[in-house]
mmCIF file of all heavy atoms in Angstrom:
data_model
loop_
_atom_site.group_PDB
_atom_site.id
_atom_site.type_symbol
_atom_site.label_atom_id
_atom_site.label_comp_id
_atom_site.label_asym_id
_atom_site.label_seq_id
_atom_site.Cartn_x
_atom_site.Cartn_y
_atom_site.Cartn_z
ATOM 1 N N LEU A 30 82.489 -61.919 -36.242
ATOM 2 C CA LEU A 30 81.241 -61.203 -36.481
ATOM 3 C C LEU A 30 81.094 -60.833 -37.956
ATOM 4 O O LEU A 30 80.001 -60.944 -38.529
ATOM 5 C CB LEU A 30 81.143 -59.953 -35.604
ATOM 6 C CG LEU A 30 79.855 -59.149 -35.742
ATOM 7 C CD1 LEU A 30 78.623 -59.989 -35.404
ATOM 8 C CD2 LEU A 30 79.921 -57.898 -34.873
ATOM 9 N N ALA A 31 82.187 -60.449 -38.597
ATOM 10 C CA ALA A 31 82.123 -60.078 -40.011
ATOM 11 C C ALA A 31 81.605 -61.242 -40.866
ATOM 12 O O ALA A 31 80.783 -61.049 -41.765
ATOM 13 C CB ALA A 31 83.494 -59.623 -40.508
ATOM 14 N N LEU A 32 82.062 -62.449 -40.568
ATOM 15 C CA LEU A 32 81.603 -63.617 -41.320
ATOM 16 C C LEU A 32 80.133 -63.922 -41.023
ATOM 17 O O LEU A 32 79.387 -64.327 -41.905
ATOM 18 C CB LEU A 32 82.477 -64.832 -40.988
ATOM 19 C CG LEU A 32 83.930 -64.747 -41.460
ATOM 20 C CD1 LEU A 32 84.729 -65.933 -40.936
ATOM 21 C CD2 LEU A 32 83.997 -64.664 -42.974
ATOM 22 N N ARG A 33 79.748 -63.717 -39.778
ATOM 23 C CA ARG A 33 78.344 -63.953 -39.413
ATOM 24 C C ARG A 33 77.433 -62.957 -40.117
ATOM 25 O O ARG A 33 76.357 -63.319 -40.610
ATOM 26 C CB ARG A 33 78.173 -63.872 -37.903
ATOM 27 C CG ARG A 33 78.928 -64.988 -37.181
ATOM 28 C CD ARG A 33 78.906 -64.829 -35.708
ATOM 29 N NE ARG A 33 77.717 -65.484 -35.175
ATOM 30 C CZ ARG A 33 77.509 -65.670 -33.895
ATOM 31 N NH1 ARG A 33 78.359 -65.219 -32.994
ATOM 32 N NH2 ARG A 33 76.421 -66.284 -33.482
ATOM 33 N N LEU A 34 77.854 -61.699 -40.184
ATOM 34 C CA LEU A 34 77.052 -60.681 -40.864
ATOM 35 C C LEU A 34 76.995 -60.947 -42.374
ATOM 36 O O LEU A 34 75.956 -60.753 -43.006
ATOM 37 C CB LEU A 34 77.604 -59.283 -40.580
ATOM 38 C CG LEU A 34 77.501 -58.823 -39.124
ATOM 39 C CD1 LEU A 34 78.228 -57.490 -38.935
ATOM 40 C CD2 LEU A 34 76.062 -58.742 -38.666
ATOM 41 N N CYS A 35 78.088 -61.427 -42.921
ATOM 42 C CA CYS A 35 78.109 -61.793 -44.343
ATOM 43 C C CYS A 35 77.140 -62.935 -44.614
ATOM 44 O O CYS A 35 76.368 -62.894 -45.570
ATOM 45 C CB CYS A 35 79.528 -62.168 -44.764
ATOM 46 S SG CYS A 35 79.664 -62.635 -46.502
ATOM 47 N N ALA A 36 77.146 -63.943 -43.757
ATOM 48 C CA ALA A 36 76.229 -65.084 -43.908
ATOM 49 C C ALA A 36 74.781 -64.615 -43.803
ATOM 50 O O ALA A 36 73.917 -65.059 -44.570
ATOM 51 C CB ALA A 36 76.530 -66.149 -42.855
ATOM 52 N N LEU A 37 74.524 -63.711 -42.874
ATOM 53 C CA LEU A 37 73.183 -63.154 -42.726
ATOM 54 C C LEU A 37 72.762 -62.433 -44.009
ATOM 55 O O LEU A 37 71.651 -62.621 -44.507
ATOM 56 C CB LEU A 37 73.130 -62.187 -41.534
ATOM 57 C CG LEU A 37 71.838 -61.390 -41.351
ATOM 58 C CD1 LEU A 37 70.657 -62.320 -41.111
ATOM 59 C CD2 LEU A 37 72.000 -60.397 -40.202
ATOM 60 N N GLY A 38 73.662 -61.638 -44.560
ATOM 61 C CA GLY A 38 73.362 -60.913 -45.801
ATOM 62 C C GLY A 38 73.073 -61.847 -46.961
ATOM 63 O O GLY A 38 72.137 -61.612 -47.745
ATOM 64 N N LEU A 39 73.841 -62.901 -47.083
ATOM 65 C CA LEU A 39 73.626 -63.857 -48.173
ATOM 66 C C LEU A 39 72.267 -64.549 -48.039
ATOM 67 O O LEU A 39 71.544 -64.715 -49.017
ATOM 68 C CB LEU A 39 74.753 -64.893 -48.204
ATOM 69 C CG LEU A 39 76.131 -64.368 -48.615
ATOM 70 C CD1 LEU A 39 77.195 -65.435 -48.393
ATOM 71 C CD2 LEU A 39 76.121 -63.882 -50.051
ATOM 72 N N GLU A 40 71.921 -64.947 -46.815
ATOM 73 C CA GLU A 40 70.621 -65.589 -46.595
ATOM 74 C C GLU A 40 69.479 -64.608 -46.817
ATOM 75 O O GLU A 40 68.438 -64.970 -47.360
ATOM 76 C CB GLU A 40 70.537 -66.173 -45.183
ATOM 77 C CG GLU A 40 71.074 -67.567 -45.082
ATOM 78 C CD GLU A 40 70.352 -68.546 -45.995
ATOM 79 O OE1 GLU A 40 69.120 -68.730 -45.877
ATOM 80 O OE2 GLU A 40 71.028 -69.145 -46.843
ATOM 81 N N LEU A 41 69.672 -63.375 -46.400
ATOM 82 C CA LEU A 41 68.647 -62.358 -46.611
ATOM 83 C C LEU A 41 68.429 -62.131 -48.105
ATOM 84 O O LEU A 41 67.279 -62.033 -48.569
ATOM 85 C CB LEU A 41 69.032 -61.059 -45.911
ATOM 86 C CG LEU A 41 67.982 -59.963 -45.985
ATOM 87 C CD1 LEU A 41 66.685 -60.391 -45.309
ATOM 88 C CD2 LEU A 41 68.503 -58.687 -45.360
ATOM 89 N N ASP A 42 69.506 -62.060 -48.868
ATOM 90 C CA ASP A 42 69.377 -61.915 -50.323
ATOM 91 C C ASP A 42 68.577 -63.077 -50.913
ATOM 92 O O ASP A 42 67.737 -62.875 -51.798
ATOM 93 C CB ASP A 42 70.753 -61.851 -50.993
ATOM 94 C CG ASP A 42 71.469 -60.538 -50.762
ATOM 95 O OD1 ASP A 42 70.813 -59.545 -50.384
ATOM 96 O OD2 ASP A 42 72.708 -60.512 -50.955
ATOM 97 N N ARG A 43 68.840 -64.284 -50.411
ATOM 98 C CA ARG A 43 68.109 -65.455 -50.890
ATOM 99 C C ARG A 43 66.621 -65.330 -50.569
ATOM 100 O O ARG A 43 65.768 -65.600 -51.414
ATOM 101 C CB ARG A 43 68.694 -66.727 -50.263
ATOM 102 C CG ARG A 43 68.147 -68.028 -50.838
ATOM 103 C CD ARG A 43 68.625 -69.235 -50.062
ATOM 104 N NE ARG A 43 68.146 -69.293 -48.695
ATOM 105 C CZ ARG A 43 66.879 -69.558 -48.345
ATOM 106 N NH1 ARG A 43 65.971 -69.792 -49.252
ATOM 107 N NH2 ARG A 43 66.526 -69.586 -47.071
ATOM 108 N N LEU A 44 66.301 -64.885 -49.362
ATOM 109 C CA LEU A 44 64.897 -64.706 -48.976
ATOM 110 C C LEU A 44 64.213 -63.627 -49.819
ATOM 111 O O LEU A 44 63.068 -63.799 -50.257
ATOM 112 C CB LEU A 44 64.785 -64.322 -47.500
ATOM 113 C CG LEU A 44 65.077 -65.403 -46.476
ATOM 114 C CD1 LEU A 44 65.097 -64.805 -45.073
ATOM 115 C CD2 LEU A 44 64.053 -66.520 -46.571
ATOM 116 N N LEU A 45 64.906 -62.523 -50.035
ATOM 117 C CA LEU A 45 64.331 -61.431 -50.829
ATOM 118 C C LEU A 45 64.044 -61.891 -52.251
ATOM 119 O O LEU A 45 63.011 -61.543 -52.830
ATOM 120 C CB LEU A 45 65.266 -60.217 -50.827
ATOM 121 C CG LEU A 45 65.429 -59.502 -49.491
ATOM 122 C CD1 LEU A 45 66.552 -58.473 -49.562
ATOM 123 C CD2 LEU A 45 64.124 -58.852 -49.059
ATOM 124 N N GLN A 46 64.933 -62.687 -52.797
ATOM 125 C CA GLN A 46 64.735 -63.192 -54.154
ATOM 126 C C GLN A 46 63.626 -64.243 -54.195
ATOM 127 O O GLN A 46 62.769 -64.220 -55.076
ATOM 128 C CB GLN A 46 66.036 -63.761 -54.704
ATOM 129 C CG GLN A 46 65.936 -64.124 -56.174
ATOM 130 C CD GLN A 46 67.290 -64.471 -56.751
ATOM 131 O OE1 GLN A 46 68.128 -65.075 -56.080
ATOM 132 N NE2 GLN A 46 67.506 -64.094 -57.995
ATOM 133 N N ALA A 47 63.618 -65.148 -53.241
ATOM 134 C CA ALA A 47 62.633 -66.236 -53.242
ATOM 135 C C ALA A 47 61.215 -65.746 -52.985
ATOM 136 O O ALA A 47 60.264 -66.235 -53.606
ATOM 137 C CB ALA A 47 63.021 -67.283 -52.186
ATOM 138 N N TRP A 48 61.052 -64.790 -52.062
ATOM 139 C CA TRP A 48 59.710 -64.361 -51.667
ATOM 140 C C TRP A 48 59.244 -63.092 -52.365
ATOM 141 O O TRP A 48 58.051 -62.787 -52.356
ATOM 142 C CB TRP A 48 59.639 -64.174 -50.150
ATOM 143 C CG TRP A 48 59.715 -65.468 -49.417
ATOM 144 C CD1 TRP A 48 60.795 -65.986 -48.765
ATOM 145 C CD2 TRP A 48 58.669 -66.428 -49.263
ATOM 146 N NE1 TRP A 48 60.479 -67.209 -48.211
ATOM 147 C CE2 TRP A 48 59.170 -67.497 -48.507
ATOM 148 C CE3 TRP A 48 57.342 -66.489 -49.694
ATOM 149 C CZ2 TRP A 48 58.412 -68.612 -48.162
ATOM 150 C CZ3 TRP A 48 56.582 -67.588 -49.351
ATOM 151 C CH2 TRP A 48 57.114 -68.635 -48.603
ATOM 152 N N ALA A 49 60.156 -62.334 -52.953
ATOM 153 C CA ALA A 49 59.830 -61.090 -53.659
ATOM 154 C C ALA A 49 58.823 -60.233 -52.888
ATOM 155 O O ALA A 49 57.738 -59.929 -53.371
ATOM 156 C CB ALA A 49 59.314 -61.403 -55.062
ATOM 157 N N PRO A 50 59.188 -59.829 -51.658
ATOM 158 C CA PRO A 50 58.243 -59.026 -50.874
ATOM 159 C C PRO A 50 58.073 -57.622 -51.452
ATOM 160 O O PRO A 50 58.968 -57.101 -52.136
ATOM 161 C CB PRO A 50 58.911 -58.964 -49.499
ATOM 162 C CG PRO A 50 60.369 -59.090 -49.784
ATOM 163 C CD PRO A 50 60.459 -60.020 -50.961
ATOM 164 N N ASP A 51 56.924 -57.026 -51.170
ATOM 165 C CA ASP A 51 56.675 -55.638 -51.562
ATOM 166 C C ASP A 51 57.350 -54.684 -50.591
ATOM 167 O O ASP A 51 57.660 -53.548 -50.942
ATOM 168 C CB ASP A 51 55.164 -55.358 -51.590
ATOM 169 C CG ASP A 51 54.470 -56.236 -52.623
ATOM 170 O OD1 ASP A 51 54.817 -56.116 -53.809
ATOM 171 O OD2 ASP A 51 53.607 -57.039 -52.232
ATOM 172 N N CYS A 52 57.520 -55.129 -49.360
ATOM 173 C CA CYS A 52 58.187 -54.316 -48.354
ATOM 174 C C CYS A 52 58.765 -55.220 -47.272
ATOM 175 O O CYS A 52 58.401 -56.388 -47.165
ATOM 176 C CB CYS A 52 57.229 -53.293 -47.746
ATOM 177 S SG CYS A 52 55.823 -54.035 -46.947
ATOM 178 N N VAL A 53 59.671 -54.631 -46.499
ATOM 179 C CA VAL A 53 60.295 -55.320 -45.380
ATOM 180 C C VAL A 53 59.956 -54.533 -44.119
ATOM 181 O O VAL A 53 60.114 -53.311 -44.091
ATOM 182 C CB VAL A 53 61.829 -55.419 -45.558
ATOM 183 C CG1 VAL A 53 62.493 -56.012 -44.324
ATOM 184 C CG2 VAL A 53 62.174 -56.232 -46.803
ATOM 185 N N ALA A 54 59.455 -55.211 -43.110
ATOM 186 C CA ALA A 54 59.165 -54.596 -41.810
ATOM 187 C C ALA A 54 60.197 -55.110 -40.822
ATOM 188 O O ALA A 54 60.353 -56.322 -40.657
ATOM 189 C CB ALA A 54 57.751 -54.949 -41.359
ATOM 190 N N VAL A 55 60.908 -54.191 -40.186
ATOM 191 C CA VAL A 55 62.019 -54.549 -39.301
ATOM 192 C C VAL A 55 61.764 -54.006 -37.904
ATOM 193 O O VAL A 55 61.358 -52.847 -37.753
ATOM 194 C CB VAL A 55 63.353 -53.973 -39.833
ATOM 195 C CG1 VAL A 55 64.524 -54.376 -38.955
ATOM 196 C CG2 VAL A 55 63.594 -54.389 -41.263
ATOM 197 N N GLU A 56 62.035 -54.847 -36.910
ATOM 198 C CA GLU A 56 61.916 -54.385 -35.537
ATOM 199 C C GLU A 56 63.127 -53.530 -35.190
ATOM 200 O O GLU A 56 64.258 -53.886 -35.523
ATOM 201 C CB GLU A 56 61.801 -55.561 -34.572
ATOM 202 C CG GLU A 56 61.467 -55.129 -33.166
ATOM 203 C CD GLU A 56 61.105 -56.302 -32.278
ATOM 204 O OE1 GLU A 56 61.978 -57.153 -32.045
ATOM 205 O OE2 GLU A 56 59.954 -56.343 -31.826
ATOM 206 N N GLU A 57 62.860 -52.416 -34.537
ATOM 207 C CA GLU A 57 63.944 -51.578 -34.055
ATOM 208 C C GLU A 57 64.601 -52.262 -32.863
ATOM 209 O O GLU A 57 64.049 -53.197 -32.291
ATOM 210 C CB GLU A 57 63.414 -50.197 -33.656
ATOM 211 C CG GLU A 57 62.948 -49.404 -34.859
ATOM 212 C CD GLU A 57 62.362 -48.052 -34.486
ATOM 213 O OE1 GLU A 57 62.156 -47.777 -33.283
ATOM 214 O OE2 GLU A 57 62.098 -47.279 -35.410
ATOM 215 N N ILE A 58 65.746 -51.774 -32.471
ATOM 216 C CA ILE A 58 66.509 -52.408 -31.404
ATOM 217 C C ILE A 58 65.907 -52.079 -30.047
ATOM 218 O O ILE A 58 65.567 -50.933 -29.766
ATOM 219 C CB ILE A 58 67.975 -51.949 -31.440
ATOM 220 C CG1 ILE A 58 68.627 -52.447 -32.719
ATOM 221 C CG2 ILE A 58 68.736 -52.454 -30.226
ATOM 222 C CD1 ILE A 58 70.009 -51.921 -32.924
ATOM 223 N N TYR A 59 65.799 -53.111 -29.247
ATOM 224 C CA TYR A 59 65.429 -52.951 -27.847
ATOM 225 C C TYR A 59 66.732 -52.990 -27.078
ATOM 226 O O TYR A 59 67.435 -54.001 -27.081
ATOM 227 C CB TYR A 59 64.496 -54.084 -27.393
ATOM 228 C CG TYR A 59 64.250 -54.091 -25.920
ATOM 229 C CD1 TYR A 59 63.362 -53.186 -25.356
ATOM 230 C CD2 TYR A 59 64.916 -54.981 -25.080
ATOM 231 C CE1 TYR A 59 63.136 -53.174 -23.987
ATOM 232 C CE2 TYR A 59 64.691 -54.976 -23.716
ATOM 233 C CZ TYR A 59 63.809 -54.077 -23.176
ATOM 234 O OH TYR A 59 63.585 -54.059 -21.827
ATOM 235 N N PHE A 60 67.087 -51.886 -26.461
ATOM 236 C CA PHE A 60 68.365 -51.827 -25.770
ATOM 237 C C PHE A 60 68.311 -52.570 -24.443
ATOM 238 O O PHE A 60 67.444 -52.344 -23.629
ATOM 239 C CB PHE A 60 68.807 -50.382 -25.558
ATOM 240 C CG PHE A 60 69.276 -49.756 -26.826
ATOM 241 C CD1 PHE A 60 68.425 -48.974 -27.577
ATOM 242 C CD2 PHE A 60 70.549 -49.997 -27.291
ATOM 243 C CE1 PHE A 60 68.844 -48.415 -28.761
ATOM 244 C CE2 PHE A 60 70.987 -49.446 -28.481
ATOM 245 C CZ PHE A 60 70.135 -48.649 -29.219
ATOM 246 N N THR A 61 69.253 -53.469 -24.299
ATOM 247 C CA THR A 61 69.368 -54.236 -23.065
ATOM 248 C C THR A 61 70.548 -53.697 -22.270
ATOM 249 O O THR A 61 71.208 -52.749 -22.687
ATOM 250 C CB THR A 61 69.615 -55.726 -23.378
ATOM 251 O OG1 THR A 61 70.882 -55.834 -24.049
ATOM 252 C CG2 THR A 61 68.524 -56.302 -24.252
ATOM 253 N N LYS A 62 70.832 -54.325 -21.177
ATOM 254 C CA LYS A 62 71.961 -53.914 -20.356
ATOM 255 C C LYS A 62 73.288 -54.350 -20.968
ATOM 256 O O LYS A 62 74.334 -53.843 -20.617
ATOM 257 C CB LYS A 62 71.814 -54.490 -18.951
ATOM 258 C CG LYS A 62 70.626 -53.910 -18.224
ATOM 259 C CD LYS A 62 70.443 -54.551 -16.880
ATOM 260 C CE LYS A 62 69.179 -54.009 -16.230
ATOM 261 N NZ LYS A 62 68.855 -54.661 -14.986
ATOM 262 N N ASN A 63 73.248 -55.302 -21.906
ATOM 263 C CA ASN A 63 74.467 -55.821 -22.512
ATOM 264 C C ASN A 63 74.774 -55.023 -23.785
ATOM 265 O O ASN A 63 74.205 -55.272 -24.838
ATOM 266 C CB ASN A 63 74.293 -57.313 -22.830
ATOM 267 C CG ASN A 63 75.571 -57.943 -23.327
ATOM 268 O OD1 ASN A 63 76.451 -57.277 -23.863
ATOM 269 N ND2 ASN A 63 75.668 -59.244 -23.152
ATOM 270 N N ALA A 64 75.679 -54.069 -23.682
ATOM 271 C CA ALA A 64 76.016 -53.201 -24.802
ATOM 272 C C ALA A 64 76.617 -53.983 -25.971
ATOM 273 O O ALA A 64 76.342 -53.673 -27.131
ATOM 274 C CB ALA A 64 76.984 -52.108 -24.355
ATOM 275 N N LYS A 65 77.416 -55.001 -25.676
ATOM 276 C CA LYS A 65 78.047 -55.785 -26.740
ATOM 277 C C LYS A 65 76.979 -56.472 -27.595
ATOM 278 O O LYS A 65 77.049 -56.465 -28.823
ATOM 279 C CB LYS A 65 78.995 -56.827 -26.147
ATOM 280 C CG LYS A 65 79.750 -57.603 -27.195
ATOM 281 C CD LYS A 65 80.739 -58.571 -26.576
ATOM 282 C CE LYS A 65 81.446 -59.344 -27.672
ATOM 283 N NZ LYS A 65 82.341 -60.355 -27.133
ATOM 284 N N THR A 66 75.953 -57.038 -26.959
ATOM 285 C CA THR A 66 74.850 -57.667 -27.696
ATOM 286 C C THR A 66 74.096 -56.626 -28.507
ATOM 287 O O THR A 66 73.773 -56.853 -29.676
ATOM 288 C CB THR A 66 73.891 -58.388 -26.726
ATOM 289 O OG1 THR A 66 74.625 -59.410 -26.053
ATOM 290 C CG2 THR A 66 72.722 -59.003 -27.454
ATOM 291 N N ALA A 67 73.822 -55.476 -27.913
ATOM 292 C CA ALA A 67 73.078 -54.420 -28.614
ATOM 293 C C ALA A 67 73.829 -53.950 -29.852
ATOM 294 O O ALA A 67 73.217 -53.730 -30.908
ATOM 295 C CB ALA A 67 72.808 -53.252 -27.672
ATOM 296 N N ILE A 68 75.143 -53.831 -29.747
ATOM 297 C CA ILE A 68 75.931 -53.387 -30.896
ATOM 298 C C ILE A 68 75.895 -54.444 -32.004
ATOM 299 O O ILE A 68 75.726 -54.116 -33.178
ATOM 300 C CB ILE A 68 77.380 -53.053 -30.470
ATOM 301 C CG1 ILE A 68 77.365 -51.779 -29.611
ATOM 302 C CG2 ILE A 68 78.285 -52.889 -31.683
ATOM 303 C CD1 ILE A 68 78.666 -51.491 -28.907
ATOM 304 N N GLY A 69 76.027 -55.704 -31.653
ATOM 305 C CA GLY A 69 75.958 -56.777 -32.653
ATOM 306 C C GLY A 69 74.603 -56.816 -33.334
ATOM 307 O O GLY A 69 74.510 -56.983 -34.558
ATOM 308 N N VAL A 70 73.535 -56.653 -32.569
ATOM 309 C CA VAL A 70 72.180 -56.649 -33.142
ATOM 310 C C VAL A 70 72.018 -55.433 -34.052
ATOM 311 O O VAL A 70 71.422 -55.525 -35.130
ATOM 312 C CB VAL A 70 71.109 -56.690 -32.043
ATOM 313 C CG1 VAL A 70 69.718 -56.495 -32.624
ATOM 314 C CG2 VAL A 70 71.172 -58.015 -31.291
ATOM 315 N N ALA A 71 72.567 -54.295 -33.642
ATOM 316 C CA ALA A 71 72.496 -53.089 -34.472
ATOM 317 C C ALA A 71 73.209 -53.315 -35.808
ATOM 318 O O ALA A 71 72.731 -52.884 -36.866
ATOM 319 C CB ALA A 71 73.100 -51.902 -33.738
#
């Protein structure tokens, strides 16, 4: 998971640099019955 989160961060940095957004809109977590999935998404 640590490597996956690192990869996500690197790609996000690339997107932020390429698109230069004024703001970021993020969906909050929808809690499901699977706690392990919810924690990873969090």
Side-chain angles (χ1 to χ4, degrees):
L30 182 59
L32 293 174
R33 295 173 88 171
L34 294 173
C35 180
L37 173 62
L39 291 171
E40 273 301 301
L41 184 62
D42 287 342
R43 188 187 65 71
L44 288 173
L45 292 170
Q46 188 171 36
W48 290 103
D51 298 299
C52 60
V53 174
V55 182
E56 189 170 64
E57 292 178 351
I58 295 173
Y59 171 78
F60 286 97
T61 64
K62 294 176 184 175
N63 186 335
K65 184 177 179 184
T66 299
I68 290 169
V70 172

